[in-house]
Amino acid sequence: MSPLLRQWGRAAAPSPADWPGLIEAYRSWLPVSEATPVITLREGATPLIPAPAVAARIGRGVTVHLKYDGLNPTGSFKDRGMTMAISKAKEAGCEAVICASTGNTSAAAAAYARRGGLRAFVLIPDGYVAQGKLAQALVYGAEVLAIRGNFDRALSIVQEMAASYPVTLVNSVNPYRLQGQKTAAFEVVDALGRAPDWLCIPMGNAGNISAYWMGFQEYARAGRCSSLPRMMGFQASGSAPLVQGSTVEHPETIATAIRIGNPVNREKALAARAESGGAFLDVTDEEIIAAYKLLGGEEGVFCEPASAASVAGLLKRAEEVPSGATVVCVLTGNGLKDPDCAIANNDAAFHTDLEPTLPVVAGVMGF
């Protein structure tokens, strides 16, 4: 447990005034020094929420928790890696950063770069970034370049840019990104008092599953947990290169955050699967949306579609979960990232064009 979390105790939640951001909270676990200018928006310390409705669908005494990283400052887990990447870029004297993005990375890169006084350039696949994410990047002041091509082409371009021009790449090929993201595993262990039996997580570029595995391993080596979880990675069926074992040239899925056909962290993710005895599985868009609705309608948790892939995958593999197991499903982003999906995919009653009178309103309500 980090010194700050030890001070509060596992049962005590840190107040916003006390939480210093993940770099200061886990400083001894991260490659920073007194010379590192910490660029932070007080990211981290996201809740681990019990999910009884999900657990009830599995039964057999299984408990399920949701690691809801959609409550980070820009609404996704990308803030964890970006506080590290931008802080180290600032330390190195960098003046501009660049990334390719399906949305969340661009939002985080823009926010932290501007916080640190750096220029931010983001390449996005034109027409395939949810409106909430695009709005963030623009408001944070990024210079957005929309290309006629998919994420994988955008990533190739920014890698070439960073190799040829004085601009720092902050996609997850940047090693500091995964260093920041590994702190989510620390928080899970700190909250549970142990590692979960299963860690279910969506996979796009596969940096997050790699970072979680790194974090669990580091805590285990330090004696902070006595076991390691099975790493269960889930991809959308139309964008499942790690499940299929080959690049997907034209990935398609409603879960735009994981619409990636050639993940740059492929080898790290495969190692996490092998070393943990885990598994990779694809889930259909229909299964993702069913889980998305379940989380909102029964757990009261609004996540973006890609996040729901972790729960969809868990439910698809429910029979394999050991009796009495503790499962953590990672929810990588906030539902407000993609409002169009929410409007198009819900079972709510939405009564429109009503006369503004008490009898009419009461009648619709059933009184």
Side-chain angles (χ1 to χ4, degrees), residues 201-253:
I201 189 166
M203 295 189 302
N205 234 354
N208 214 24
I209 190 171
S210 306
Y212 265 90
W213 184 236
M214 183 195 308
F216 286 128
Q217 287 180 304
E218 289 185 13
Y219 250 29
R221 286 194 294 268
R224 300 294 180 91
C225 57
S226 58
S227 63
L228 291 167
R230 290 189 70 192
M231 303 298 288
M232 308 296 289
F234 300 101
Q235 297 192 292
S237 297
S239 181
L242 291 170
V243 177
Q244 298 173 14
S246 61
T247 296
V248 177
E249 295 295 339
H250 302 288
E252 292 292 344
T253 173

Side-chain angles (χ1 to χ4, degrees), residues 54 57-60 62 198 312-322:
V54 177
R57 283 163 168 75
I58 301 172
R60 305 192 317 279
V62 171
W198 278 29
L314 170 63
L315 295 176
K316 196 166 187 173
R317 301 294 285 260
E319 293 183 359
E320 300 176 31
V321 182

Side-chain angles (χ1 to χ4, degrees), residues 124-193:
I124 63 172
D126 197 7
Y128 286 96
V129 172
Q131 290 297 298
K133 303 173 189 180
L134 177 58
Q136 286 182 284
L138 294 171
V139 169
Y140 292 140
E143 296 183 49
V144 179
L145 295 83
I147 67 164
R148 293 190 298 271
N150 61 23
F151 169 84
D152 302 299
R153 180 59 189 139
L155 181 60
S156 176
I157 292 171
V158 298
Q159 287 176 303
E160 294 173 22
M161 284 290 303
S164 304
Y165 297 93
V167 59
T168 297
L169 182 63
V170 291
N171 280 100
S172 58
V173 291
N174 181 317
Y176 297 118
R177 281 278 309 277
L178 300 194
Q179 286 290 321
Q181 287 169 215
K182 74 183 182 183
T183 60
F186 298 164
E187 290 179 16
V188 167
V189 175
D190 290 341
L192 290 176

